[in-house]
Amino acid sequence: MTLNAMGDEWWRTATIYEVAPISFQDSNGDGKGDLRGVLSRIDYLKWLGIDAVWLTPIYQSPFRDLGYDIADYCAVDPVFGNLDDFDRLVAALHEAGIRLILDFVPNHTSSDHAWFFESMRSRDNPKADWYIWADAADNGGPPNNWLSRFGGSAWEWCEARGQYYYHSFLVEQPDLNWRNPQVRAALADVMRFWLDRGVDGLRVDASAVLIKDHLLRDNPPNPEAKGKPPPQRDTPVFTDDRPETMHCIEFIREVIDEYPGRLLCGEVQGKTDRIGHFYGNERPRLHLPLNFALLDSAWDALSLQATIDAYRNALPKGAWPVWVIGGHDKQRVASKIGQRQMRLLAMLLLTLKGTPFFYMGDEIGRERVPIPPDRVRDPFEKLVPGYGLCRDPERAPMRWDDSPKGGFTTGEPWLPLEHDGTPNVAQQRGDRDTILQLFRQLIALRRAHPCLQYGEQEAIPSRHDVLAFRRVAGDRKVLIVLNLSNEPRKWDCRGHGRILIATNPDRRTERLEKPTVLLRGGEGLIIEIDA
Ligand code: NOJ
């Protein structure tokens, strides 16, 4: 399919694949993935059938937080290549019918950014108000009790100004002051810089925390703090999800809308019932606020049924749903549910109404990679140890084959790979029975079938640990039945039909002679019901 044939709202029917380029493919043997590496894997992306790639930050950065600490928004970090490599990548992806989404990190820069050097110099330089500065409290300590997500006070003393600056995350990630119109204008120009280069969308990082309370009121204690990591001691009501933040998202959306056919998705925080307002009302906000509810749900049919229902109920009228099953911050779900159930999750993701997102390696059932303590890179784990917060197990290099370096690099991988014999692309591509092949079939079916693309979703009561729902478009009807138990289950399909895809590779895509189907333990089926 050509890009234009999908229309301006291409993201409604797209399958989106997150790539952390540092761990995808190294092209020059330095042990770190790069843009040329991504370029060399376009054939794989095309074969897999995804419609868009979202790249985590590729910008110039000291890389203290996977590149989410940006020192120059308009430069590619030399580790990844340069702007020519970037332009070549965009052109080649587009040629292959694949769109490109970039991460956009408007909340904070690196402390190595030229804006911050200037801002920290004095209280009256031209960029003095580009970051969030405040005087010390009466006792000389931080202005209030706000905590950094990465541990300790969110305020850091700056000798040159005799003031504190605020950082939601690392000390080396000062928060920009979104109340300042100059900051907004500068970030709008950053967006245009990349949109002009042909980028098809942006994923807004930390979109819920762009504005903090201007009175700097203390956050109240978290009543559920017991056993939680210290940064969660307080309830962040005065730092997160402030009403004014929504105006910032509306502003970002206006810039995106200067360019037809571009997508704005974003990382949002909070409970499912807050997700609705990230879509916007009179003024549009994000096209797709990322929804991680499937990852946070308990893994049984009743819990999943309730999770799906709660999310759907939280959507405002006309909002397009989105489902995510992995990401660079999220523990690998295959480690939680196991390989067989991972097939069910793939089927669920790719049959629910809404745009599916998955993360590199999910398609081969990748699990968490054990990281020895001396190889830990994630600052979250270093600063808040002992709570299992380390994100390196998800960020380990992609396993393309079963060689010791996984086909990822010829050098020393920046994070270790797991032992040989774990799932890898080469082995799974060559075997029709693998989860990789299942992902590919599901993506292809989704693309081809009107029910799965835009059909309505109808709930069916789950019973005996079988999750079921229907997708309906006109007179076509598709039933999805997922047996989450390990025992066989009978299911009444209320009609004859034909199995389109089964999670068990040896099940034939047969016609059902009876309206009742026998599901094996852990089996999922997509059945087209006769009209
Ligand atoms: C959200 C990103 O997804 C995460 O990886 C990062 O640590 C924080 N933003 C801070 O930049």
Side-chain angles (χ1 to χ4, degrees), residues 417-478:
L417 283 91
E418 66 281 76
H419 54 82
D420 306 351
T422 46
N424 68 75
V425 172
Q427 172 262 320
Q428 294 201 6
R429 237 181 123 156
D431 178 348
R432 288 191 50 80
D433 294 353
T434 57
I435 187 167
L436 176 60
Q437 295 280 355
L438 176 65
F439 260 90
R440 182 168 181 255
Q441 282 174 40
L442 288 165
I443 293 169
L445 180 68
R446 184 183 174 87
R447 186 179 267 186
H449 205 298
C451 287
L452 297 180
Q453 282 205 311
Y454 46 78
E456 282 313 314
Q457 184 171 321
E458 294 178 358
I460 300 176
S462 286
R463 249 177 267 121
H464 308 303
D465 223 8
V466 177
L467 177 67
F469 57 93
R470 261 187 299 266
R471 300 288 309 277
V472 180
D475 58 0
R476 296 188 74 177
K477 211 180 278 174
V478 167

Side-chain angles (χ1 to χ4, degrees), residues 461-525:
S462 286
R463 249 177 267 121
H464 308 303
D465 223 8
V466 177
L467 177 67
F469 57 93
R470 261 187 299 266
R471 300 288 309 277
V472 180
D475 58 0
R476 296 188 74 177
K477 211 180 278 174
V478 167
L479 170 72
I480 295 98
V481 244
L482 307 168
N483 176 9
L484 276 92
S485 81
N486 290 321
E487 308 298 324
R489 293 280 189 260
K490 262 195 194 143
W491 190 265
D492 181 357
C493 305
R494 295 175 188 259
H496 290 274
R498 188 168 64 89
I499 298 176
L500 299 180
I501 295 189
T503 54
N504 276 339
D506 57 345
R507 158 90 76 165
R508 290 214 317 276
T509 52
E510 60 207 2
R511 263 203 71 74
L512 297 176
E513 292 314 325
K514 291 188 261 167
T516 306
V517 69
L518 188 68
L519 294 149
R520 289 180 243 173
E523 184 174 54
L525 299 176

